[in-house]
Each structure stands twice: as structure tokens, then as C-alpha cells.
Amino acid sequence: MRETISPAKSISGVITVPGDKSISHRYGMLTAIAEGESKIANYSTGADCQSTLGCMGALGARIERRDGLVIVQGGKLTEPAGELDAGNSGSTIRMLSGILAAQKFTSRIGGDESLSKRPMKRIMQPLAEMGAEIEATGGQFPPLTIHGRYLHGIDYTLPMASAQVKSCVLIAGLFADGDTIVREPVRTRDHTEIALQEFGADIEVEKRVITLRAGAKLTGRALVVPGDLSSATFFLVAALMIKESNLVIHGVGLNPTRSAVLDFLVGMGASIKVLDLQQSGGEVIGDLRVRASRVTGGVIEGALTAGLIDEIPALAVLGAASEHGLTVRDAAELRVKETDRIATIEMNLRRMGVEIESTPDGFHVAGGQRFHAAEVDSCGDHRIAMAFAVAALAADGPCAIDGAESAGVSFPEFFSTLRLIAR
Ligand code: S3P
């Protein structure tokens, strides 16, 4: 589907964004294995999180939607009738594999063309150490055939910064006989640790070492998913770039392991204020007010890269409009996301007449550049679709966004929300 976006003079109003994608996945899976009933408010409307619910339903969890809530009756899982469909969702296949590896049945899980190219060795390796038996296409790609086995706790040092891999091992550890320890090279989003604590698991976090004690019994509960800060970032960037903007985004998740983007933007001179902080289910939630600002530009490297990994497409766009530009390093992971994001950012910026130099693990975009009207292509990647819709707001004429429907993977209401606030 093609969306046409016209240049805007102002991005102003009061909006909300869908429930956080990362937290929704975790709640969707943990409520299905927890004993009893759970009620989840503000569960993500994104297709990825529906894939998680679809899989958990196929595994025997009873899931209904009532009064805007997702209601899950969890407990023991049962053998699915066919292949589990993770759609476009790396989080679903990687984290759910941790559950499937410990069941008393064999299951198969796959997804769309993009997912079928994403690396799975990173979860297969620690799960094999725990005793799992998993077959993959070409030894490393989905679909995966997972033969449930009796699992043992392990002490695992992650070879890369990945919250999905960390979560997969911890979730498998729920079923293991013995403690499970995960050591991270840099701290990544800690929603799994927080959620496991909420559900009653015995888990300890000391800096970058997480210890999950064996024998946890999870029980169902009422949960509220905060708004997704990664989705909000597209509108933060839009409001910063477009001159007369003044935007409030309500109820956004501000977990410190996710909010590096706010510090980064404010550090560059962005006018972003956090209003009305609250806590729910161990997560921090607040409202954000953003006003158009001149931003200096900056460098994303080292641990910061892991903290901003999902925000880089939006920040690349802002980098071109900033004073000194944006340099990204240590971001080889971008090449194995829903698309090779270094390549898809580069292709679309060039189409808009913006200069960019890429490297194997990053890129540099000079500042002070203009966006020219162009046809851009999401290549099926939700964050590329939304980042370039934002770039289009600052262009010198209407732009066409091809593959715009892919925004629905995390934010089905993205284009309708944009139309409400763009003038
Ligand atoms: C996620 C972790 C990150 C992130 C993805 C969601 C999560 O992936 O890019 O969008 O929910 O744990 P990696 O674990 O592959 O870094």
C-alpha cells in the first residue's frame, strides 16, 4: 500500500501510542504459562503482538478480548495442531522458543519471508546447552522444529547485546532444574526481569548478571502495558524537526533501560519534558511534551548503540536535519533486523537527496541537509515506513511511502495519528 505524505508546518496536539511491543510480547507469553486468569490492559495493537497471542492460543491458552482488555486463562500448554506462525516477529519466535524447548511435545514455529532470514543460532546455542533439541533450516533459520526436553539451568554469557536472547534463556530457565544465570555484555531492556518478578518468580539482578532461581510458579494477574516509547520516537522526531510543533504524548513507558533516546535527544538540545510520572507493574510511565527544537547532532556508539537500536531509523532522519549530523557505530545488529536497516536507511535517504556514507556496522549522515520529494520504500519494515513518513513531513513536496502497511507490525494507527497532528 502507498501512502502520500505532504510537507507539514506543525506537528501539534495530544496523542497516545500503542502499548509497548516488547512488554506486550512478554505479558502475552507469561500470562499463558502462569496459573489462572490474567487481564492485560493496553496490549499492543501491532501485528507482531497479535502473532504472539495467536501462538499462545494455538498452544492451548484461552484468550479473549473484553472491554479493551486481553484476558488470558493460562496454565499447562498443549501440543499445537499445526505450525506456529510468528509472522514478522523476531521477539515471538526467539522468546517463545524458550518455552517450547521445555514442553512435552514437538512443535514447529516459522513466519514470513523476512523472519525466515533472521539468525536463530543465537537462541539455539544456549537452549542446546540447557538440553533442548532444535532443528533449523540450513542449521540457523526459521522455521524451527523444537523437540521439548527436560532442561537444566545454565550459566550463560551472552555473546551479543540482545534482550531477546536474554529473555529466551530466562524464560526457558522457568522450566529448568537448577538456577539459570545470564551475563550481559551491556545492559539491555529489562522488561523480562521486571515481569518475572511481578509474576512471582525468584529473580535477582546485579548489574549485568541475572539469576533466576529454579522452581518458580507464576500466577496470573492484572497488568497495564505502557505506551511504546520506540513508537513515540517517530512523533518526537517529527515535532522536533517541524518548526511550529508542540505535541504531548500520553502514557509512554519510560523504563530507564529503554529511555536512552530521551537523554540522547535532550543532550542534543531537544525540548522534551517528562510530565506526570507513574509506576505500574514495575514499569515507569509518563507523559512527554515536545516542542520544535534545533538539535546539534551526535554520535551513537558502544553501549549507547544497544540502548537506541530500535530508534536509529528515526534518528537517522533527524541527523540529516540536525546541525552537525549523526554518526552511528557498533551497529552491525541493524543488518539483521526486519530488513538490513543500514541498507534501507541509506537507500531511502539517497532517494530523498540526502547524503549518507555507510560502513559495515553503521553510517554517517551530515547535518544541515534538505529532504527532497521522492518515492521511498519501506521494504516491508515497519520502522523504515514510519521513519520515512516523518522525513516526508520535512520534504519540499509530497512523498510516496510504498509498503506503508508494514507500519501495522508495531503501530497500525500510525498514519491516522499522523494525519490528526500534522498541519
Ligand atoms: C527486543 C529486543 C531488541 C529489539 C527488538 C525488541 C525485545 O532485539 O531490537 O525490537 O523486545 O527484547 P534484540 O534482542 O535482537 O537486540
Side-chain angles (χ1 to χ4, degrees):
M1 193 183 81
R2 172 174 270 202
E3 286 273 357
T4 303
I5 300 291
S6 298
K9 288 203 170 65
S10 143
I11 300 294
S12 299
V14 181
I15 56 166
T16 56
V17 289
D20 187 87
K21 179 160 91 69
S22 293
I23 297 175
S24 295
H25 282 303
R26 287 152 174 85
Y27 287 177
M29 290 180 207
L30 295 177
T31 54
I33 57 172
E35 280 303 326
E37 183 177 275
S38 293
K39 291 185 174 157
I40 316 174
N42 202 36
Y43 190 86
S44 167
T45 50
D48 266 15
C49 296
Q50 309 316 306
S51 295
T52 286
L53 290 185
C55 289
M56 301 326 288
L59 286 161
R62 281 207 349 253
I63 301 172
E64 6 159 18
R65 288 158 200 282
R66 224 188 301 139
D67 309 325
L69 300 173
V70 171
I71 301 172
V72 184
Q73 308 284 344
K76 268 216 163 38
L77 301 181
T78 52
E79 186 168 353
E83 181 171 315
L84 297 166
D85 184 7
N88 189 241
S89 176
S91 300
T92 307
I93 192 167
R94 291 197 180 123
M95 294 197 279
L96 184 50
S97 293
I99 295 178
L100 298 175
Q103 302 306 309
K104 288 206 171 77
F105 49 79
T106 293
S107 44
R108 218 172 129 80
I109 181 164
D112 69 8
E113 204 187 314
S114 151
L115 192 73
S116 306
K117 293 187 198 130
R118 298 189 65 188
M120 294 296 138
K121 267 248 164 71
R122 53 183 66 194
I123 56 149
M124 291 169 66
Q125 206 161 336
L127 288 176
E129 271 186 47
M130 296 178 88
E133 208 188 311
I134 304 179
E135 290 146 31
T137 310
Q140 55 176 330
F141 298 113
L144 305 176
T145 301
I146 304 181
H147 306 283
R149 294 284 182 262
Y150 195 81
L151 300 185
H152 311 286
I154 53 168
D155 183 335
Y156 191 68
T157 301
L158 289 175
M160 81 275 290
S162 169
Q164 291 175 357
V165 179
K166 168 177 68 175
S167 301
C168 168
V169 176
L170 289 173
I171 291 173
L174 289 170
F175 303 92
D177 67 349
D179 298 349
T180 299
I181 301 172
V182 182
R183 300 171 197 270
E184 296 192 274
V186 300
R187 204 155 169 240
T188 62
R189 61 192 75 194
D190 64 357
H191 305 301
T192 301
E193 296 89 306
I194 291 175
L196 284 173
Q197 217 145 31
E198 281 296 304
F199 278 88
D202 185 355
I203 184 166
E204 209 176 279
V205 182
E206 238 193 85
K207 290 194 182 139
R208 289 176 282 107
V209 182
I210 304 124
T211 306
L212 176 73
R213 306 260 170 241
K217 288 253 172 313
L218 308 192
T219 42
R221 56 217 317 101
L223 300 151
V224 181
V225 182
D228 194 315
L229 178 56
S230 301
S231 298
T233 297
F234 297 104
F235 294 125
L236 293 177
V237 167
L240 289 171
M241 288 202 309
I242 307 294
K243 267 194 193 142
E244 294 159 29
S245 302
N246 183 355
L247 181 71
V248 173
I249 313 177
H250 264 303
V252 182
L254 299 174
N255 176 318
T257 63
R258 282 290 290 287
S259 58
V261 66
L262 297 181
D263 299 330
F264 185 68
L265 290 172
V266 170
M268 293 201 295
S271 167
I272 301 176
K273 293 227 154 49
V274 177
L275 319 164
D276 192 23
L277 271 187
Q278 294 176 30
Q279 281 252 353
S280 176
E283 296 282 354
V284 186
I285 306 178
D287 297 342
L288 299 177
R289 175 184 288 279
V290 52
R291 290 191 165 92
S293 311
R294 275 169 67 96
V295 295
T296 53
V299 179
I300 301 174
E301 62 186 346
L304 184 60
T305 301
L308 292 175
I309 198 77
D310 289 341
E311 286 73 58
I312 287 175
L315 294 174
V317 169
L318 182 64
S322 70
E323 246 173 286
H324 307 305
L326 179 78
T327 302
V328 176
R329 301 191 185 107
D330 307 317
E333 275 294 306
L334 285 178
R335 295 212 181 265
V336 290
K337 292 292 181 190
E338 287 82 333
T339 56
D340 172 345
R341 285 188 175 151
I342 295 176
T344 47
I345 289 169
E346 183 177 20
M347 176 189 87
N348 285 309
L349 282 180
R350 289 226 168 108
R351 284 193 188 182
M352 297 187 83
V354 171
E355 283 176 29
I356 169 170
E357 290 156 39
S358 64
T359 62
D361 70 345
F363 56 84
H364 173 73
V365 190
Q369 301 197 65
R370 290 269 162 88
F371 298 99
H372 297 294
E375 291 176 2
V376 295
D377 190 347
S378 75
C379 302
D381 184 332
H382 56 131
R383 297 200 201 278
I384 298 298
M386 294 186 277
F388 284 88
V390 168
L393 296 168
D396 58 8
C399 295
I401 322 288
D402 284 328
E405 71 287 347
S406 58
V409 157
S410 58
F411 197 167
E413 309 82 355
F414 174 79
F415 286 98
S416 56
T417 307
L418 191 55
R419 293 210 160 85
L420 279 180
I421 55 177
R423 271 179 277 274

